[in-house]
Amino acid sequence: MVRERFSQRLEDLRSEIQEMGVLSQKMLVNSIQALEYLDLELAKNVIEMDSIVDDLEYDVEKATVHLLALQQPMAKDLRLITASYKIAIDLERMSDFAVNIAELVSKIEGEHVIPLAEINTIASITQMMMENSMKAYAENDAELAKATAEEDSQVDRLFYSTWQKLVNLMIEDATLIPNAVDLIFVLRYLERIADHACNICEGVVYIATNQRVNLN
């Protein structure tokens, strides 16, 4: 009976992490869409969703403390609990970055004066990394986690090349500076989200294999 209750609480913990993942992914997708179309209402919705993610992180923290203090888990269960808590922190930070992107929408006046093609490409890769890192967590799939983290190098390359393009645009035309600076912030937020996806992948590998790896 005790073991059954413990197993159920572990499943509840996993479910809360996966719910956080779904919300964080939705926030990122919507923040990029809000940026592309300068949709203030959608941006506001992203900002409002952040409190739900914060509440879930708090629930995960309480569940983790309870499982560690009262159940004294061993081996793989212990890895699952500790790694899940760290993953919750990563997801909360990812949702914060989505909020940061959404908050920039209200700062941009008129239409975009700089094409968003590169930004959208980086966003697509980052969204895929978020989705696959959470899929790896749900399926306890270390190989998927490792493959997902490998995409980070592509994000880094696009980050630096796009950053350089934006800097050159500002040098050539000072009127583009406000818009370009906002997009540089977006670049940085997306790059950090990809880094947090790598952290999640590291947690999945640890849960599945008991190996601590650096995938960043």
Side-chain angles (χ1 to χ4, degrees), residues 31-66:
S31 68
I32 294 299
Q33 185 175 335
L35 176 68
E36 182 174 4
Y37 297 103
L38 297 179
D39 187 331
L40 293 174
E41 192 62 34
L42 187 58
K44 180 182 176 183
N45 179 257
V46 171
I47 294 167
E48 290 173 348
M49 288 174 68
D50 192 44
S51 62
I52 303 174
V53 175
D54 289 343
D55 288 344
L56 281 168
E57 186 201 8
Y58 180 62
D59 290 343
V60 167
E61 181 180 0
K62 288 193 299 182
T64 299
V65 170
H66 181 83

Side-chain angles (χ1 to χ4, degrees), residues 76 79 140 142 146 204-213:
K76 189 171 183 178
R79 298 200 303 273
N140 205 32
K146 292 176 183 177
V204 172
V205 173
Y206 176 60
I207 294 168
T209 69
N210 195 25
Q211 294 179 338
R212 294 191 180 275
V213 293

Side-chain angles (χ1 to χ4, degrees), residues 30 35 44 46-47 58 64 75 83 97 107 125 155 163 177 187-188 193 205 214:
N30 287 354
L35 176 68
K44 180 182 176 183
V46 171
I47 294 167
Y58 180 62
T64 299
F97 287 125
K107 290 180 57 183
I125 298 169
V155 172
W163 178 84
I177 289 176
L187 279 177
R188 182 57 178 162
I193 290 172
V205 173
N214 184 359

Side-chain angles (χ1 to χ4, degrees), residues 46-207:
V46 171
I47 294 167
E48 290 173 348
M49 288 174 68
D50 192 44
S51 62
I52 303 174
V53 175
D54 289 343
D55 288 344
L56 281 168
E57 186 201 8
Y58 180 62
D59 290 343
V60 167
E61 181 180 0
K62 288 193 299 182
T64 299
V65 170
H66 181 83
L67 287 165
L68 290 174
L70 300 182
Q71 303 294 340
Q72 298 180 338
M74 301 295 289
K76 189 171 183 178
D77 288 340
L78 181 60
R79 298 200 303 273
L80 173 62
I81 294 166
T82 55
S84 292
Y85 177 54
K86 291 180 180 179
I87 288 170
I89 294 172
D90 282 306
L91 290 169
E92 193 277 331
R93 291 299 298 129
M94 293 159 108
S95 69
D96 284 346
F97 287 125
V99 168
N100 293 150
I101 294 171
E103 288 174 340
L104 285 174
V105 174
S106 63
K107 290 180 57 183
I108 299 174
E109 297 180 0
E111 298 180 352
H112 287 293
V113 292
I114 298 173
L116 297 181
E118 286 92 347
I119 296 284
N120 286 336
T121 298
I122 297 172
S124 294
I125 298 169
T126 304
Q127 290 163 15
M128 180 193 68
M129 290 179 68
M130 284 186 73
E131 181 179 349
N132 286 342
S133 66
M134 291 310 300
K135 182 179 179 182
Y137 175 78
E139 298 177 1
N140 205 32
D141 189 336
E143 293 307 312
L144 177 58
K146 292 176 183 177
T148 299
E150 289 177 358
E151 297 296 326
D152 190 48
S153 60
Q154 187 178 1
V155 172
D156 289 341
R157 285 194 300 272
L158 286 168
F159 168 81
Y160 288 112
S161 64
T162 306
W163 178 84
Q164 189 61 61
K165 286 181 182 179
L166 291 171
V167 169
N168 290 339
L169 284 172
M170 289 189 286
I171 293 171
E172 293 168 3
D173 186 350
T175 65
L176 297 179
I177 289 176
N179 196 197
V181 168
D182 288 338
L183 295 184
I184 285 173
F185 276 116
V186 173
L187 279 177
R188 182 57 178 162
Y189 299 145
L190 290 171
E191 190 266 341
R192 291 298 297 127
I193 290 172
D195 286 343
H196 283 288
C198 288
N199 291 346
I200 293 173
C201 291
E202 290 174 2
V204 172
V205 173
Y206 176 60
I207 294 168

